[in-house]
Amino acid sequence: MNAIISATELAKELAGGDPPVLLDVRWQLSTAAAGGASPFDGRAEYAAGHLPGAVFVDLDKELASAPGAGGRHPLPDVAEFGAAMRRAGVSSGRPVVVYDGGQGWAAARAWWLLRWAGHPNVRVLDGGLPSWEAPLSTDVAVPTEGDFAPEPGGAGLLDADGAAALARSGVLFDARAGERYRGEVEPIDPVGGHIPGAVSAPTADNVAADGRFRPAEELRRRFEALGATEGEAVGVYCGSGVSGAHEVLALAVAGIPAALYVGSWSEWSADPSRPVAVGPDPQ
């Protein structure tokens, strides 16, 4: 099963006899609030116009638990996540399509969580809302309660120790921008740099200018050149387990399974006992 779906394909499925559940997960990482500006409001964006029938899902409240020692976006409580998905109309026997405002990070976080929780059929709208050319709706969808019951373990999950070990025994990709990996700038977390042994692989390089994923073969060549060759275990981290999910999705498009370190740099860098590497060299 493909991990992504085009707007054309989605339109056909929505017009068919077994339309997918649509989840709108518009979200942006924003440091604007620190300067007094209003933070991004995904719910307001949803209210202004969304795919017909889509239900809004709040990444910060429903796809993560409260920030803390586990990072800025730790795993949500399993029971609470399941309840949120059921309220959104998610059932195990019905396909789900997730989209966001076009960056793809938030949609990928929802995709990864649902897969990790055992849902068998989840895809991301390639290119997000900007790829949708049909009219939008301002009606608030009220779905029938779903029956989805999470069974964690359906996708690879790394903790800090597992990420450290994988950086030595396999391939651990750092999905953040290169300057954050090198420790040249760090706008969010207390320490700049990367996990020793991790390889820089910015997730922005997985998509074209229109926000759509590059072809599967092109992605495969990219990741193989970075060390994800056949037989190697692969993991990904980022700042807080959001853009890293997008890289796991890109790897899935390329046919390469990968695990996600959800705590990512926000958890790692908050622990002074964890080593930090700087510069372009993985070590």
Side-chain angles (χ1 to χ4, degrees), residues 1 21 23 81 85 89-97 110-123 147-155:
M1 185 190 72
V21 173
L23 303 182
F81 173 66
M85 293 299 98
V90 175
S91 294
S92 296
R94 188 176 173 191
V96 177
V97 172
W111 166 85
W112 183 87
L113 271 173
L114 281 164
R115 290 178 64 251
W116 169 77
H119 198 288
N121 191 343
V122 189
R123 290 163 293 171
D147 65 11
F148 179 63
E151 296 182 6

Side-chain angles (χ1 to χ4, degrees), residues 7 13 30 42 48 74 91 104 107 116 122 125 144-145 168 184 202 205 219 235:
E13 291 195 10
S30 175
S91 294
W116 169 77
V122 189
L125 175 59
T144 301
E145 181 96 358
R168 296 189 298 269
E184 297 166 358
D205 294 343
L219 289 172

Side-chain angles (χ1 to χ4, degrees), residues 237-253:
Y237 76 95
C238 57
S240 65
V242 179
S243 66
H246 190 267
E247 185 122 300
V248 173
L249 176 57
L251 283 154
V253 171

Side-chain angles (χ1 to χ4, degrees), residues 18-271:
D18 185 26
V21 173
L22 284 178
L23 303 182
D24 182 314
V25 196
R26 273 178 274 182
W27 170 90
Q28 286 183 12
L29 175 64
S30 175
T31 57
S38 298
F40 177 82
D41 189 341
R43 193 175 294 276
E45 294 289 323
Y46 168 85
H50 51 266
L51 269 61
V55 177
F56 180 73
V57 173
D58 189 315
L59 185 148
D60 290 317
K61 296 179 180 178
E62 296 174 311
L63 304 183
S65 55
R72 280 181 277 110
H73 291 105
L75 284 175
D77 175 84
V78 173
E80 292 179 4
F81 173 66
M85 293 299 98
R86 290 190 293 274
R87 287 195 303 271
V90 175
S91 294
S92 296
R94 188 176 173 191
V96 177
V97 172
V98 191
Y99 72 91
D100 59 23
Q103 188 179 45
W105 294 5
R109 169 75 176 213
W111 166 85
W112 183 87
L113 271 173
L114 281 164
R115 290 178 64 251
W116 169 77
H119 198 288
N121 191 343
V122 189
R123 290 163 293 171
V124 168
L125 175 59
D126 194 17
L129 188 66
S131 70
W132 185 257
E133 297 181 353
L136 300 178
S137 172
T138 56
D139 295 335
V140 177
V142 182
T144 301
E145 181 96 358
D147 65 11
F148 179 63
E151 296 182 6
L157 173 66
L158 294 170
D159 60 11
D161 289 339
L166 186 59
R168 296 189 298 269
S169 65
V171 180
L172 181 66
F173 288 135
D174 184 318
R176 298 172 301 159
E179 59 267 26
R180 290 185 69 192
Y181 169 88
R182 295 187 296 271
E184 297 166 358
V185 298
E186 183 42 66
I188 305 169
D189 295 310
V191 179
H194 58 269
I195 296 174
V199 176
S200 180
T203 196
D205 294 343
N206 296 325
V207 297
D210 61 3
R212 293 178 173 87
F213 280 105
R214 299 186 185 280
E217 186 54 39
E218 185 177 337
L219 289 172
R220 174 173 280 277
R221 289 196 300 269
R222 180 197 184 210
F223 291 123
E224 286 180 342
L226 291 171
T229 53
E230 187 173 353
E232 288 285 355
V234 178
V236 180
Y237 76 95
C238 57
S240 65
V242 179
S243 66
H246 190 267
E247 185 122 300
V248 173
L249 176 57
L251 283 154
V253 171
I256 302 171
L260 177 66
Y261 172 26
V262 172
S264 285
W265 191 248
S266 61
E267 178 186 43
W268 184 279
S269 63
D271 182 350

